[in-house]
Amino acid sequence: MSKLENPPQVPTCPAPWNLTGSGYVVALRMPQQVLDCECFVPDSLRPSRRGKIAYLMFVDYTSSDVGPYHELLFIPGSFDFSGKRYLSISKIYVSSEASVVNGQCNWGIPKAVCEFDVQYGADGDIDRVRALLDGQVFADLRFKAFGPRLPIHTAITPAGLHTLGQHWQGREYIYTPSARGHTRFARLLSATIDARHFPDIAKGKPLAAFRITDFRMRFPLSQITQL
């Protein structure tokens, strides 16, 4: 189980960051009610939300500019950012206080801290992820990867498809991460969610899932403007 970091003072770690690791990405068709009202979207963005497809991600960062940590996040669609539409993270937990503080400062990402219990199979793949607050599980996810490994690289996709936007404390953040690694097909076998703390993906239908391995990712400087 990953332990929470709670240093007396979190050091500043400005962008850009370079990260490595592995994880899962799941695309889900979610009920309109959940996407519009139950996804922790900021009031300033809620009216502009579009789309019926949401994205769940779990990431095991083996290295980053603030050290290794785990991450669970949800993207409920696209939103209007100064006349352009980008995906946006509405709910995200990490196992590192340093990631929380610097993620908010650098990219306006609404990170919060939780504990993670991550179980690995004999083949080294992640089989189960449990996220906990105050010792209570609020997300219990089971995955299964299969098939051949294929290379992936964001360089072959338009920047707009992997650009994200955030509203955080009166500012707008726009940032375009880049990554390369390998992927396999996967399945989300089960999901048990406490909707008080995370969007209830169990109400949706998984459309596609991917296991991402040995990735290298770069999080650049954000374009930041006052709202």
Side-chain angles (χ1 to χ4, degrees):
M1 180 179 293
S2 57
K3 300 298 183 182
L4 303 186
E5 300 175 11
N6 190 23
Q9 182 176 1
V10 173
T12 299
C13 189
W17 284 13
N18 294 290
L19 311 96
T20 63
S22 66
Y24 285 95
V25 179
V26 184
L28 306 113
R29 184 177 294 277
M30 298 292 296
Q32 200 74 26
Q33 170 66 22
V34 175
L35 291 174
D36 287 342
C37 304
E38 302 172 24
C39 288
F40 307 91
V41 176
D43 290 342
S44 59
L45 289 175
R46 187 176 294 118
S48 72
R49 198 205 66 79
R50 298 289 184 272
K52 296 182 179 180
I53 308 301
Y55 301 93
L56 170 79
M57 294 181 63
F58 171 75
V59 187
D60 177 2
Y61 289 111
T62 54
S63 71
S64 79
D65 288 60
V66 293
Y69 64 94
H70 291 133
E71 178 176 273
L72 179 68
L73 66 85
F74 185 82
I75 295 173
S78 69
F79 301 82
D80 179 75
F81 289 92
S82 301
K84 295 184 178 180
R85 300 201 66 81
Y86 299 119
L87 299 176
S88 184
I89 299 167
S90 66
K91 197 65 173 175
I92 177 170
Y93 290 94
V94 295
S95 59
S96 160
E97 188 69 34
S99 177
V100 169
V101 172
N102 286 285
Q104 293 172 356
C105 179
N106 290 332
W107 304 284
I109 301 174
K111 295 183 178 183
V113 173
C114 79
E115 293 184 62
F116 286 93
D117 179 11
V118 182
Q119 299 177 13
Y120 297 84
D123 58 1
D125 274 337
I126 298 167
D127 288 347
R128 185 180 186 183
V129 175
R130 299 194 308 158
L132 305 89
L133 288 169
D134 299 322
Q136 300 298 311
V137 177
F138 68 87
D140 190 342
L141 308 170
R142 293 178 182 269
F143 299 95
K144 180 64 176 178
F146 61 93
R149 294 170 71 248
L150 301 171
I152 54 171
H153 201 309
T154 54
I156 65 174
T157 63
L161 295 180
H162 54 99
T163 296
L164 292 93
Q166 308 292 152
H167 281 183
W168 180 256
Q169 296 186 346
R171 293 181 175 181
E172 179 176 280
Y173 296 75
I174 306 296
Y175 54 102
T176 306
S178 60
R180 59 184 174 88
H182 291 84
T183 187
R184 301 171 67 198
F185 292 111
R187 294 188 183 94
L188 175 62
L189 300 179
S190 66
T192 303
I193 303 294
D194 183 340
R196 295 175 299 173
H197 304 296
F198 198 79
D200 192 355
I201 63 169
K203 293 181 177 179
K205 178 183 179 181
L207 300 177
F210 301 93
R211 169 80 166 129
I212 311 298
T213 59
D214 56 84
F215 71 72
R216 295 182 177 273
M217 177 178 289
R218 183 174 178 82
F219 263 67
L221 290 167
S222 291
Q223 300 175 22
I224 305 174
T225 57
Q226 293 289 334
L227 294 173

